[in-house]
Each structure stands twice: as C-alpha cells, then as structure tokens.
Amino acid sequence: MTLAEVRVTAVQLAYARDGEVEILIPSTFGGEIAEAKVRASSRSDRWTTETFLAALGSDDDRAIAAEIFARTERLERRGPKPALWYGQPPRGGINIHLHGLVYPPVWLSINKDRFLMVGATWNAFPEIAHHDAHAPLAELLGLDHRVGSRSVRVRDLDLDELWATIVECAVGINVAADEADEGVIVSP
C-alpha cells in the first residue's frame, strides 16, 4: 500500500536471440492498477458544506443553500442517514436526508453557471420510483413525477414553500418504502 500519488509499475525484460542479433523485449505490469488507484483517489474528494457554498456564484445562492443545510441539520433524527450526503465535485450534488431518513426527496447541485439547483429523486431509487408521494414536489417544481426529472433553480422558488414540500415528500416516500418492507425507519 502506498500514497495515492505513488505509482508502482514493474518491468520485465524478455531476452530473444536470432543469430547474431540479441533483443531485450520490455513488458510492464501494474500500470492499470496504478491508474485505477489514481482514479479512485480522485473520486474520494467530496464536497463539504464549505466547498459547496464557496463554489456557488452568488451570495443569494450561498445564503439559500446555507439556510437549507441549517434547516436540515435542525430536524429531529428519525433515521440512520447523515442529514447531508456529499457527492463529488464538480457534477455531484448533496443529497438532503431530512430527519436522517434513508431516501432523500431532493439533492442540491451547482450548474455550469454556478447557480444553486434542486433536483428531485423520483428516478434515483427503484424502491420509491415515481411514487405518488413525490407528486406535491413535482407540482411545485413544474414537473411530472411519473417521468424524468430535471433540476430547477432554487432562487426561482419560495424557500418556505419548497422546504414544507420536501419535508412532506421525505416522510411520504420513506413511509411508502417502509410499508413495502424495505426496512426504512420512520416514526409517525
């Protein structure tokens, strides 16, 4: 085991002779493993609250994201998940596990213009895919939970209405999964 920046490759030299001509034929081993190690190392870098907020392009978006994070952290814990699950920059987002419940209703991301975006998860988890508990969130986002999803700019939404809707959706989708005997912990 070595540090991520250390790559180990072995060289084997085969000897060949044809009359008066002698040839050494090199073969390398371990290059694929070294490259995989570098790729795995780069994937381990995840957003933090601070790096996510810093990557947003406006103070308004930073304030909105910080408020969503704070509200999420203040909720009573009912499930095993961390309140915020951090994806990998630049395209990965942050799943919002309200109450620590298993299935997050939304994730926050940053688009190419550095705007704060909210995306719904009704396509992300087969156990709750397109469940009707997503319907109020879909309506608020101007989408249909029975088909694909796309991200919506958070600044275009009323934060209090968005918050109330995602809390309702979080409980609804996790109760639905629990009723399907998926082992989700949801208290009434």
Side-chain angles (χ1 to χ4, degrees), residues 2 4 31 34 46 83 93-94 97 114 122 127 132 142 158 160 163 171 173:
T2 62
R46 297 201 173 270
I94 298 178
H97 289 273
R114 300 177 53 204
W122 55 73
E127 300 86 354
D132 286 341
D158 176 88
D160 292 326
W163 181 252
V171 172
I173 62 177

Side-chain angles (χ1 to χ4, degrees), residues 71-127:
R71 289 182 185 194
T72 302
E73 294 287 353
R74 285 193 301 261
L75 288 175
E76 175 188 350
R77 306 248 336 133
R78 297 181 188 177
K81 293 289 188 172
L84 303 171
W85 182 88
Y86 299 93
Q88 299 163 311
R91 294 286 174 224
I94 298 178
N95 284 342
I96 308 295
H97 289 273
L98 285 90
H99 298 291
L101 298 174
V102 172
Y103 298 105
V106 296
W107 58 282
L108 299 179
S109 62
I110 302 172
N111 74 0
K112 65 180 176 58
D113 296 319
R114 300 177 53 204
F115 296 150
L116 177 64
M117 306 297 285
V118 62
T121 63
W122 55 73
N123 292 329
F125 304 99
E127 300 86 354

Side-chain angles (χ1 to χ4, degrees), residues 4 28-29 34 48 52 56 59 86 94 116 150 152 154 179 188:
T28 61
F29 299 93
T48 64
F52 188 86
L56 289 165
D59 289 339
Y86 299 93
I94 298 178
L116 177 64
R150 64 175 173 75
V152 173
V154 178
E179 288 172 354

Side-chain angles (χ1 to χ4, degrees), residues 108-181:
L108 299 179
S109 62
I110 302 172
N111 74 0
K112 65 180 176 58
D113 296 319
R114 300 177 53 204
F115 296 150
L116 177 64
M117 306 297 285
V118 62
T121 63
W122 55 73
N123 292 329
F125 304 99
E127 300 86 354
I128 55 167
H130 310 290
H131 191 279
D132 286 341
H134 292 285
L137 178 60
E139 183 177 337
L140 178 68
L141 299 178
L143 303 171
D144 184 344
H145 70 285
R146 295 165 295 196
V147 296
S149 181
R150 64 175 173 75
S151 293
V152 173
R153 189 165 182 197
V154 178
R155 195 186 322 178
D156 296 339
L157 303 168
D158 176 88
L159 181 58
D160 292 326
E161 185 178 7
L162 174 63
W163 181 252
T165 306
I166 63 174
V167 170
E168 174 189 351
C169 183
V171 172
I173 62 177
N174 281 278
V175 165
D178 194 40
E179 288 172 354
D181 198 30

